[in-house]
Amino acid sequence: MQYSSGKHCVFYHRYHLVWSTKYRFKVLKGQLRVRVRDICRQVCAENGVDIIKGVLSSDHVHMFVSVPPKLAISDLVRLMKGRSSHKIQREFPQIKKRYWGRHFWGRGYFSTTNGAITEDIVRQYLEQHIADPTGASR
């Protein structure tokens, strides 16, 4: 496991994110697909997010990312969906036939955390720590 560090913290935050196109239309193909990928990469780079793995299907996006603690997941998804929707609709006018309401992405998203330490391990560590505390925590 490799921890990341900020100025005042050390963290290991991994998230699996998924969101889909409005009505699940299969429009993520060709140049539009490449452009969505580039926009998501740009937003992640600007916010200090590392993309561990990303997959674009024809109607949805999967991303496995490492996110710094200063950035809320909802804000990250909002930035990626908002910027990509705005730019895609401006750069690809042919999709207006499908997305006449100026909404390219569906309303929600899915996110889950991933870590190498399970809840049981944390509980076991805390129980052990109570039984044999260090000098700093007495």
Side-chain angles (χ1 to χ4, degrees):
M1 181 183 320
Q2 182 148 357
Y3 292 105
S4 301
S5 61
K7 290 185 179 186
H8 303 286
C9 65
V10 177
F11 61 93
Y12 183 82
H13 297 171
R14 304 290 191 263
Y15 292 92
H16 176 209
L17 305 172
V18 182
W19 66 91
S20 63
T21 58
K22 185 116 175 142
Y23 311 118
R24 297 296 292 248
F25 287 148
K26 298 182 184 318
V27 295
L28 296 176
K29 300 175 183 173
Q31 288 299 317
L32 191 135
R33 177 189 196 125
V34 171
R35 187 65 177 127
V36 168
R37 183 192 67 193
D38 292 343
I39 293 168
C40 289
R41 284 179 176 173
Q42 179 185 18
V43 170
C44 287
E46 289 172 3
N47 291 285
V49 175
D50 292 327
I51 301 172
I52 299 166
K53 182 74 175 166
V55 177
L56 271 77
S57 296
S58 61
D59 63 349
H60 63 280
V61 176
H62 282 273
M63 292 184 78
F64 188 50
V65 293
S66 173
V67 182
K70 67 179 181 178
L71 182 63
I73 296 303
S74 57
D75 290 338
L76 174 64
V77 174
R78 179 182 51 82
L79 287 167
M80 285 194 286
K81 286 174 67 176
R83 188 178 299 175
S84 61
S85 176
H86 179 75
K87 288 187 176 187
I88 290 299
Q89 291 183 49
R90 194 176 66 218
E91 295 172 13
F92 296 90
Q94 66 271 22
I95 67 165
K96 286 188 179 182
K97 292 177 184 175
R98 283 261 162 114
Y99 298 105
W100 45 268
R102 296 185 52 186
H103 296 280
F104 182 73
W105 299 110
R107 288 181 70 180
Y109 65 95
F110 167 82
S111 75
T112 185
T113 58
N114 184 49
I117 301 174
T118 64
E119 185 177 328
D120 292 335
I121 293 172
V122 173
R123 288 177 192 256
Q124 183 180 20
Y125 171 78
L126 292 175
E127 289 299 324
Q128 190 176 23
H129 196 68
I130 290 170
D132 186 25
T134 61
S137 62
R138 287 186 201 164

